[in-house]
Amino acid sequence: MVKDLTTGSPAKLILMFTLPLIVGNVFQQLYLLSDTLIVGRLLGVSALAAVGCSGCLMFFMIGFVIGFTAGLSICTGQRFGAKDEEGMKKSAAACVVLSAITTVIVTIFGVIMVRPALIFLQTPPEVLDMACTFLTVIFLGIVATMMFNMSSNLIRALGDSKTPLYFLILGCVLNIILEVVFIGVFNWGIQGAGFATVLAQLINGGCCVYYIKKKIPLLHFELKDLKISREIAIQHLKVALPMGFQASIIAIGAIILQVPLNNLGEVAVAAYAAAQKIDMIAVMPLMSFGMAMAAYTAQNYGAGRMDRIKTGVNKCILMSGGFSILAGMMNICLGPILIRLFVGDGQEQVVEYGHIYLIVNGSCYLILSLLFIYRYTLQGLGQSIIPTFAGIMELVMRAAAGLFLVDAFGYIGACWANPMAWIGSCVPLMITFYITRKSLLKKYYEHKLSV
């Protein structure tokens, strides 16, 4: 299942790598979607609002884990593209050690900050305890999230995007079954949703680790390799930490936005939460194209094929851009039907508010598709400064929406936070990409002429 992305048609390679990612990312969102859907139906609007209030804090912590592990695996992908088998094994060992250390730190920080953070966000008192319980369970299970994301990203770094998909499908089915059992049968309440999600991800991670052990000798390392050098640790952290912090920085903007949103009341929070779940499923394919570009770029950069990176980006823009227009139209047209899946009949104000969110965001998906392509391509090149700056721009724009637009325009002001953030982030990424591309292509052609 290992795939060399440095030879063959760039468009075909990117598309075939992306398709399993699309399905996989949609299933990963179904973890969160099933939480929201089952909680809203079985426990009511208050519990749904509690999950909604938890969303930005979950993104803050889990987003760091996802970005951090993706950054570590980029180093492995570059070594794979360079055909450096010994370097790959050392990189895999570094990924394991750095992930383990980070898991301990993130778990302790997450559990300690839950209640103070929710209070700071002015979470409605009637849902505070439920939100705190749900998040505590999720944060205690970060070890499962780290294990699954690290192992699956290592598999993808070698060009295999299909195998992690199979494990995701298994985990998603398990998650839905466990949530129904824990909430509907055992009456564990909102913490049942958290337990189900953690357990499903733990099984996913275990499957990925077992697969690597049995099927991917290129990632096998010895115990002595776990004593990583300072140089290797710095090489990996130089990419991984900015990617992790970038996700957390973006989440801070969402956290700032959550405060005025909470002040709009339970209905607004519930509508925003339900619409966000639909929105995330719609944008997962766009993110998947970006993730494919990270793996594709990392391997080709390691192989010195700058010409293929240029071609790959151009083809990916056409594919992802077309899908973004289709996804936006579907959300705009089918919004009310989708929102009712979460709240049922008799909640027309929630449906109306949720549809407004989907209209505003869906009309701007093309910008988001470009953002993902430029960001992940730069990260695949090992660049971290500008993508991190772009994350800061997202923070600034979301904070501006929270501080000014919500106060001036109410709920619709909150809905414009995402498009504003996408525009603010996409501009520096696009400028940097084309400057970097010109420089790398110049070096590439000079090298070919000199050979």
Side-chain angles (χ1 to χ4, degrees):
M1 299 296 287
V2 170
K3 182 67 175 178
D4 186 349
L5 302 177
T6 63
T7 59
S9 167
K12 183 178 179 181
L13 287 170
I14 293 169
L15 181 60
M16 297 308 294
F17 190 92
T18 300
L19 289 177
L21 285 178
I22 291 175
V23 179
N25 279 328
V26 168
F27 270 99
Q28 192 161 22
Q29 284 305 309
L30 286 177
Y31 281 126
L32 301 177
L33 179 62
S34 60
D35 287 338
T36 308
L37 185 61
I38 295 172
V39 166
R41 285 286 187 164
L42 298 182
L43 299 178
V45 173
S46 294
L48 178 60
V51 173
C53 292
S54 306
C56 58
L57 290 179
M58 278 185 61
F59 180 40
F60 178 77
M61 300 297 290
I62 304 303
F64 175 84
V65 170
I66 294 173
F68 182 80
T69 54
L72 292 176
S73 67
I74 281 175
C75 298
T76 310
Q78 290 176 346
R79 286 159 174 76
F80 178 72
K83 306 298 187 291
D84 180 7
E85 293 189 9
E86 185 63 27
M88 288 175 60
K89 294 178 180 180
K90 291 181 179 180
S91 178
C95 290
V96 171
V97 172
L98 296 173
S99 293
I101 296 172
T102 304
T103 297
V104 175
I105 297 172
V106 171
T107 301
I108 294 173
F109 176 74
V111 172
I112 291 175
M113 58 82 72
V114 168
R115 183 170 288 272
L118 287 170
I119 293 173
F120 172 77
L121 290 175
Q122 301 178 31
T123 303
E126 60 270 22
V127 301
L128 176 61
D129 288 338
M130 284 192 291
C132 184
T133 299
F134 177 73
L135 280 176
T136 299
V137 173
I138 295 295
F139 290 163
L140 284 172
I142 278 179
V143 60
T145 306
M146 182 72 78
M147 180 171 67
F148 170 67
N149 281 280
M150 188 67 264
S151 55
S152 62
N153 277 321
L154 282 174
I155 295 172
R156 292 189 189 103
L158 274 60
D160 177 8
S161 61
K162 294 180 181 178
T163 300
L165 167 63
Y166 304 145
F167 299 138
L168 266 174
I169 294 174
L170 170 64
C172 182
V173 173
L174 284 174
N175 188 44
I176 294 172
I177 294 172
L178 290 172
E179 283 198 346
V180 173
V181 172
F182 290 168
I183 297 175
V185 179
F186 294 168
N187 295 318
W188 285 0
I190 198 169
Q191 64 264 39
F195 286 134
T197 300
V198 170
L199 182 56
Q201 289 222 339
L202 186 62
I203 293 172
N204 278 353
C207 288
C208 285
V209 171
Y210 181 79
Y211 180 83
I212 290 173
K213 182 179 179 181
K214 291 295 183 179
K215 300 292 185 179
I216 312 182
L218 288 172
L219 296 178
H220 294 179
F221 52 85
E222 300 178 7
L223 287 176
K224 63 181 180 65
D225 295 321
L226 293 174
K227 188 177 181 180
I228 60 176
S229 67
R230 177 184 176 89
E231 179 183 1
I232 291 178
I234 292 175
Q235 287 175 350
H236 285 71
L237 291 175
K238 186 178 178 181
V239 181
L241 282 176
M243 286 183 66
F245 286 130
Q246 174 189 314
S248 294
I249 288 170
I250 295 171
I252 292 173
I255 291 172
I256 295 174
L257 176 64
Q258 190 70 42
V259 175
L261 181 63
N262 287 344
N263 290 331
L264 294 177
E266 186 177 277
V267 170
V269 172
Y272 202 90
Q276 270 190 322
K277 303 305 179 185
I278 299 167
D279 177 59
M280 284 304 298
I281 291 180
V283 305
M284 278 300 106
L286 311 184
M287 182 182 292
S288 299
F289 276 108
M291 293 172 65
M293 285 308 302
Y296 174 87
T297 302
Q299 285 195 22
N300 281 279
Y301 182 67
R305 294 300 307 271
M306 308 308 164
D307 57 324
R308 287 178 58 82
I309 295 175
K310 173 187 175 181
T311 303
V313 169
N314 291 339
K315 298 295 184 182
C316 192
I317 288 175
L318 292 175
M319 292 185 288
S320 182
F323 192 93
S324 69
I325 295 173
L326 177 63
M329 291 175 60
M330 291 197 57
N331 267 11
I332 292 170
C333 295
L334 302 178
I337 298 173
L338 298 173
I339 297 294
R340 285 192 179 91
L341 292 176
F342 293 89
V343 298
D345 298 325
Q347 298 288 342
E348 292 307 310
Q349 190 173 9
V350 174
V351 173
E352 181 184 350
Y353 276 22
H355 192 206
I356 291 172
Y357 176 101
L358 294 177
I359 292 172
V360 172
N361 284 259
S363 63
C364 299
Y365 282 165
L366 180 59
I367 299 171
L368 182 61
S369 70
L370 295 174
L371 186 158
F372 282 136
I373 292 170
Y374 294 136
R375 172 183 289 161
Y376 280 102
T377 299
L378 289 172
Q379 290 171 345
L381 293 170
Q383 293 198 22
S384 56
I385 295 177
I386 296 301
T388 302
F389 173 74
I392 294 174
M393 287 300 297
E394 287 199 45
L395 162 64
V396 171
M397 300 302 277
R398 281 199 177 89
L403 295 174
F404 303 110
L405 290 188
V406 176
D407 184 54
F409 301 104
Y411 178 79
I412 195 171
C415 294
W416 275 103
N418 281 340
M420 286 176 57
W422 300 340
I423 295 170
S425 180
C426 190
V427 170
L429 289 171
M430 181 171 59
I431 294 172
T432 303
F433 168 74
Y434 285 108
I435 292 174
T436 302
R437 189 186 74 171
K438 182 178 179 180
S439 174
L440 290 176
L441 283 173
K442 181 180 179 181
K443 293 179 181 178
Y444 169 73
Y445 289 120
E446 287 177 350
H447 175 73
K448 287 197 68 176
L449 290 173
S450 65
V451 175

